[in-house]
Amino acid sequence: MSLTMPDVYRPLVPVRLDVERWATRRTRRKILAVVHTVTSGQRLLEAVRLLEGDARVQVFFTQAPDVFSHGVDHFLERLGGLVLPWHQAVQLPFDLAVAAAHGGLQELHAPVIVLPHGAGHNKLMPAGQRGRPVAGRGIYGLDRQWLIQDGRLVPETIVLAHHEDLTRLGRECPEALPAAEVVGDPCSDRITASLPQRALYRDALGAGARQQLVTVCSTWGPGSLLGRQWELLERLVDELPREDFRVALLLHPHIWNAHGEWQIRSWLAGLVRSGLLVISQHADWVGALVAADHIVGDHGSVSLYGAMTGVPVLMGNVPDGDLDPGSPAAELASFAPRLHADRPLDRQLARAAAAYRAERYEQVTSRITSEPGRFAVRMRALIYRKLRLRAPAVRPRTDHAPLPVTVRHDERWAAR
């Protein structure tokens, strides 16, 4: 006979009706972090970390259904959080739920805060999304079909990064405006905090004092940089002189999790042997962005964040119609120089650096957040207000990003 408690009881202990018998610490509030994808999970951590040190609060995690859910179980395992199966999470009451995507939220028994999972709201939803009739492509995260279910506004609070997003939300779903709250952007704040550490990030990536670091950023999908222009990555690695350049690659988590780590390693093996630095999906991406002398990107959020770093952002092909024309990402794409396959790459990089105008980039980056440096303060205040608890007296701070880790230095890869 086993002396251990059956697995069915373990995840339920802090939410059982007889919790006083089983739990070591009695808490006053229960929060559910709803993780749809690895990307949304990473953004949620920026919020739930603001509760560190508060023994009044217990945070639970659950994996919500999503087409890009692959990898979430491993993400949660590495995190070490207490994970409730989705079928149990939707049956239990919580004092608050926090999410960075929308699927299934109407099933929860909790007031819900929804955050954007990228740099604001830039992308238009695919035509025919979720089998509904198309009356124009809405903005993901602001569109009525995600926010309204059965005539009811699902999120109690919609977190926005910039005041201009209020105008866009008002056009897409005016009945959601009373639920909107402008809080700021955590990644923007972390990039700002990390810029003074640029030399340390370059050292971690092995970029010498006389070498220029080219950081390549690809979002996911067939319209992404790697989806459309894989040969551009190959040319950057093959054509740029090793004594003068290093090339680093940042891939969206959806790429890793849609194809699998083994396949990505296999596809990139030859380029890695030729000097490509691949940033581990398990590492922080900010340092690799801040360290760059040139950023080569697409219509994804990381390319937009790259505009904050003080170096030129060059674009591959940007798919027509995937960006909201009024978004900051579309504004960046309107003037960022394009890399042309039929011209020497080193000359194009040099030309982009010579033509760089900081004021144009600053105009775009001012649209990422209207609360620079204040996400931690404002987000924590929002959470505690919703919990009806007094926030701790210690002011939260934004730390600089940890050093970037490449796949060759990631222990999980080295062991294989």
Side-chain angles (χ1 to χ4, degrees):
M1 178 177 177
S2 172
L3 297 179
T4 60
M5 184 179 294
D7 288 343
V8 69
Y9 292 111
R10 289 176 179 164
L12 293 176
V13 166
V15 290
R16 287 169 59 101
L17 294 177
D18 56 348
V19 62
E20 294 84 356
R21 178 182 177 189
W22 301 104
T24 301
R25 174 75 191 183
R26 294 181 62 185
T27 55
R28 295 175 57 187
R29 299 289 189 273
K30 300 190 295 291
I31 296 181
L32 183 67
V34 183
V35 182
H36 292 78
T37 67
V38 172
T39 305
S40 68
Q42 291 169 343
R43 180 55 62 98
L44 286 183
L45 290 183
E46 304 280 3
V48 297
R49 282 173 178 156
L50 300 173
L51 299 165
E52 287 180 352
D54 193 337
R56 299 171 298 174
V57 178
Q58 167 84 48
V59 178
F60 301 85
F61 296 84
T62 190
Q63 178 177 345
D66 194 278
V67 67
F68 284 109
S69 63
H70 182 66
V72 171
D73 52 351
H74 183 63
F75 170 82
L76 293 173
E77 181 182 354
R78 286 172 59 91
L79 189 62
L82 188 60
V83 181
L84 297 176
W86 177 251
H87 69 86
Q88 293 179 351
V90 297
Q91 295 175 358
L92 297 169
F94 294 89
D95 297 291
L96 186 66
V98 186
H102 296 269
L105 299 185
Q106 71 279 5
E107 300 181 51
L108 298 175
H109 299 287
V112 180
I113 297 176
V114 177
L115 297 86
H117 61 252
H121 301 85
N122 297 287
K123 293 185 179 180
L124 297 176
M125 290 165 45
Q129 182 78 11
R130 303 173 68 195
R132 299 191 180 192
V134 180
R137 296 176 63 188
I139 303 171
Y140 180 79
L142 303 180
D143 186 75
R144 171 180 279 101
Q145 70 173 277
W146 286 107
L147 299 175
I148 305 294
Q149 296 290 329
D150 298 324
R152 179 179 70 89
L153 180 66
V154 175
E156 181 169 293
T157 306
I158 302 167
V159 167
L160 302 176
H162 200 287
H163 286 290
E164 77 169 32
D165 292 330
L166 291 170
T167 302
R168 298 164 72 208
L169 177 63
R171 290 197 301 265
E172 296 283 320
C173 187
E175 57 266 54
L177 274 174
E181 184 152 346
V182 178
V183 171
D185 185 286
C187 294
S188 170
D189 293 351
R190 201 147 46 84
I191 289 170
T192 300
S194 301
L195 286 170
Q197 310 297 320
R198 182 172 187 268
L200 294 178
Y201 300 135
R202 290 176 58 82
D203 287 344
L205 293 171
R210 298 184 178 181
Q211 286 181 312
Q212 300 176 57
L213 178 65
V214 181
T215 298
V216 181
C217 314
S218 180
T219 190
W220 62 277
S224 67
L225 180 67
L226 258 61
R228 286 189 168 195
Q229 294 181 287
W230 183 277
E231 70 282 357
L232 178 58
L233 175 63
E234 295 175 329
R235 286 193 57 206
L236 285 166
V237 175
D238 293 340
E239 293 183 20
L240 296 179
R242 285 287 301 275
E243 63 272 16
D244 298 323
F245 292 91
R246 299 300 302 271
V247 181
L249 177 63
L250 275 172
L251 296 177
H252 193 286
H254 286 359
I255 300 177
W256 292 101
N257 294 313
H259 296 284
E261 284 192 4
W262 183 92
Q263 188 63 74
I264 299 299
R265 292 200 312 273
S266 176
W267 284 339
L268 296 174
L271 294 178
V272 170
R273 286 192 290 270
S274 297
L276 176 67
L277 304 169
V278 181
I279 306 303
S280 170
Q281 69 157 327
H282 307 296
D284 194 286
W285 52 269
V286 168
L289 204 64
V290 169
D293 297 287
H294 311 272
I295 295 169
V296 177
D298 53 20
H299 58 298
S301 289
V302 175
S303 301
L304 180 56
Y305 284 128
M308 298 182 59
T309 63
V311 303
V313 178
L314 298 92
M315 293 285 184
N317 291 327
V318 176
D320 295 332
D322 279 4
L323 290 175
D324 171 27
S327 68
E331 182 180 353
L332 174 63
S334 72
F335 69 80
R338 297 294 195 271
L339 276 179
H340 299 280
D342 57 346
R343 303 174 191 175
L345 292 174
D346 55 349
R347 294 182 186 177
Q348 294 184 69
L349 294 175
R351 191 176 299 114
Y356 177 80
R357 297 293 181 266
E359 60 272 13
R360 297 202 72 181
Y361 286 84
E362 289 169 358
Q363 180 177 329
V364 171
T365 59
S366 69
R367 299 179 62 195
I368 295 176
T369 175
S370 57
E371 300 292 336
R374 301 192 66 199
F375 173 85
V377 171
R378 293 181 65 85
M379 188 69 207
R380 191 180 72 159
L382 169 63
I383 291 173
Y384 277 100
R385 188 169 75 246
K386 295 298 179 181
L387 291 175
R388 295 181 175 84
L389 289 175
R390 184 183 298 275
V394 178
R395 182 182 177 88
R397 66 179 189 180
T398 301
D399 294 325
H400 60 76
L403 296 178
V405 177
T406 64
V407 295
R408 283 188 169 180
H409 295 100
D410 187 328
E411 293 181 0
R412 297 180 65 259
W413 283 54
R416 297 181 180 183

